[in-house]
Amino acid sequence: MRPLALAAVVATVVATTVFGVRAQNPPAQGGSTAAPASTPGQTTQPAQPAQGTRGRGTGADPYANSAAPGTQTFPLAAAAGKDSNARMVAPMGAINQGPFDPAAWKYGPAFDPPAGAKIWNPVKLKMMQGGKVTGGTFFGAGDASTYCAMANAGYDFIWTEMQHDQRDWETAARIWRTCPHAKAVPGVRVAYADEREIQHALDAGAIVVVVPTIDTVEEAIAARNWTYFPPLGRRSAGGGQAFDAAMWGGVPGGYRNTVNDNIVLILMIETLEGLKNSDEIAKVPGVTALFAASGDLGNFSGFRQGTPDYERAINIVHDSTLKAGVRLCGPLAWRDRPDFTCFQAGSETAAISRGVAAELGPLANTQAKPEVGPFAERR
């Protein structure tokens, strides 16, 4: 589904360069669940290094960066050359006693958000407050100046297109890094529910993730798993620029400990198979919203917008979100359609064209027409 060119944007959309910072506040319907609280009597966790150093991941190793390498002791380590029987017997003081069992494992408190942690993603916060959020589509451009102009033009997030455009993850990371704290937060539509796709996006700093063509509950769970850190998901702690202080490393409570409560995950329903399973897809924990794909639901159903069969498909997605208590997204043209509160707006090229038209008014498209030469046939 190609992005729809909608909504007039002010003429300064490509010239604006002022970067904005946004506000914060409390956790979310349709979002993530926090890690369990600390268990009384639990042993103290190793101190964590400061957030914001690229490539260090979560800094879980208390022995890293030793000032005196070779002199440290590891009191809980297995004795050299001896089977510790750790699979059957836990060390003294461990919370998880008895034989090792992943299904019964009590998740530790190392990554609990601080008490009273507030939401720092303005898109998540606005959704929680019941507001309507809009993403401007960054489709074909690869330069940071155009991206930052769009990000400061008034959208809530930027829908960086990685499904249909040709740009690579290095380019996406570079443009997000240029103005991470602009008015609109970095968002992305990945190509599919895949570990590499989604973790590339998140490690580069995306905090709104749109996943297309979700047909089954299994695909929805995969999208959720790669989007969230444990215990809700299976995102790996591999580091990346998202952890940098210049991006999200300096957020209150720390990025690793709070990002699960700040991510916005939007799953797109685009096929007849997706419609069949949309009730259960919407109920997957961690899903923030379903997107009723205006173009591809027509593409896969064979009916155009406005016909009874097409509208039935859209209403199925609508009903699924109501039952699950999650948000409903669609094109900006549907901003007045009942219960739609999340929208995809037009591309940067549409924004430029409409912004210039708004700026010039009656002077737009009044070019002189020579009688000869390549411009003589200009319409």
Side-chain angles (χ1 to χ4, degrees):
M1 180 186 75
R2 293 185 69 84
L4 303 175
L6 303 166
V9 180
V10 292
T12 54
V13 67
V14 207
T16 310
T17 52
V18 180
F19 302 160
V21 189
R22 303 288 282 191
Q24 314 162 356
N25 228 358
Q29 68 85 9
S32 61
T33 49
S38 304
T39 305
Q42 185 151 4
T43 54
T44 303
Q45 297 293 318
Q48 311 235 345
Q51 296 267 346
T53 303
R54 183 176 301 173
R56 237 182 241 182
T58 58
D61 183 1
Y63 303 104
N65 302 316
S66 168
T71 64
Q72 293 170 332
T73 60
F74 299 83
L76 296 178
K82 183 178 179 181
D83 188 332
S84 68
N85 199 28
R87 187 174 296 278
M88 300 304 297
V89 179
M92 184 178 297
I95 294 300
N96 291 280
Q97 293 289 328
F100 174 73
D101 180 3
W105 188 265
K106 298 180 180 67
Y107 193 78
F111 303 108
D112 285 355
K118 296 182 178 182
I119 297 300
W120 47 263
N121 178 356
V123 176
K124 189 67 171 280
L125 179 61
K126 190 175 182 182
M127 284 181 152
M128 291 163 51
Q129 293 171 338
K132 295 184 176 183
V133 301
T134 303
T137 306
F138 192 64
F139 191 85
D143 61 290
S145 59
T146 303
Y147 171 85
C148 291
M150 283 197 76
N152 282 296
Y155 301 109
D156 295 293
F157 67 97
I158 299 300
W159 175 306
T160 307
E161 183 56 45
M162 298 295 285
Q163 180 190 16
H164 290 294
D165 190 60
Q166 305 305 313
R167 72 170 61 87
D168 56 25
W169 285 113
E170 183 177 4
T171 301
R174 174 174 51 79
I175 59 177
W176 293 342
R177 185 168 61 243
T178 305
C179 53
H181 302 157
K183 294 175 182 177
V185 307
V188 64
R189 174 162 65 177
V190 298
Y192 49 97
D194 171 76
E195 179 176 8
R196 183 181 189 276
E197 282 285 294
I198 295 175
Q199 293 200 151
H200 269 61
L202 294 165
D203 289 348
I207 51 176
V208 176
V209 177
V210 182
V211 187
T213 326
I214 297 295
D215 290 340
T216 65
V217 172
E218 290 73 22
E219 288 178 340
I221 291 172
R224 186 277 310 281
N225 282 349
W226 304 129
T227 298
Y228 293 97
F229 283 119
L232 180 59
R234 298 189 61 196
R235 180 183 171 191
S236 167
Q241 69 182 30
F243 290 84
D244 288 358
M247 191 161 266
W248 314 126
V251 297
Y255 175 76
R256 169 60 180 89
N257 294 53
T258 63
V259 71
N260 271 12
D261 290 329
N262 283 274
I263 288 290
V264 170
L265 175 61
I266 302 170
L267 304 185
M268 299 188 73
I269 304 299
E270 310 193 58
T271 67
L272 300 182
E273 187 76 8
L275 288 175
K276 182 180 79 170
N277 297 311
S278 61
D279 281 2
E280 296 308 312
I281 289 170
K283 294 176 184 176
V284 171
V287 173
T288 312
L290 295 189
F291 191 108
S294 58
D296 266 322
L297 277 172
N299 178 40
F300 283 96
S301 71
F303 291 93
R304 296 190 181 279
Q305 292 191 42
T307 62
D309 294 87
Y310 179 93
E311 297 302 322
R312 180 186 186 186
I314 301 302
N315 289 341
I316 287 173
V317 183
H318 167 274
D319 296 348
S320 295
T321 62
L322 288 186
K323 294 170 190 172
V326 299
R327 292 309 182 106
L328 177 58
C329 304
L332 188 58
W334 295 355
R335 72 183 85 181
D336 296 321
R337 188 166 180 141
D339 296 321
F340 279 79
T341 59
C342 165
F343 307 101
Q344 179 191 15
S347 68
E348 70 275 28
T349 53
I352 291 168
S353 297
R354 296 177 184 215
V356 170
E359 180 183 41
L360 295 182
L363 296 178
N365 297 309
T366 58
Q367 298 90 348
K369 184 176 180 181
E371 294 182 5
V372 296
F375 299 104
E377 301 301 320
R378 179 169 52 195
R379 294 181 179 177

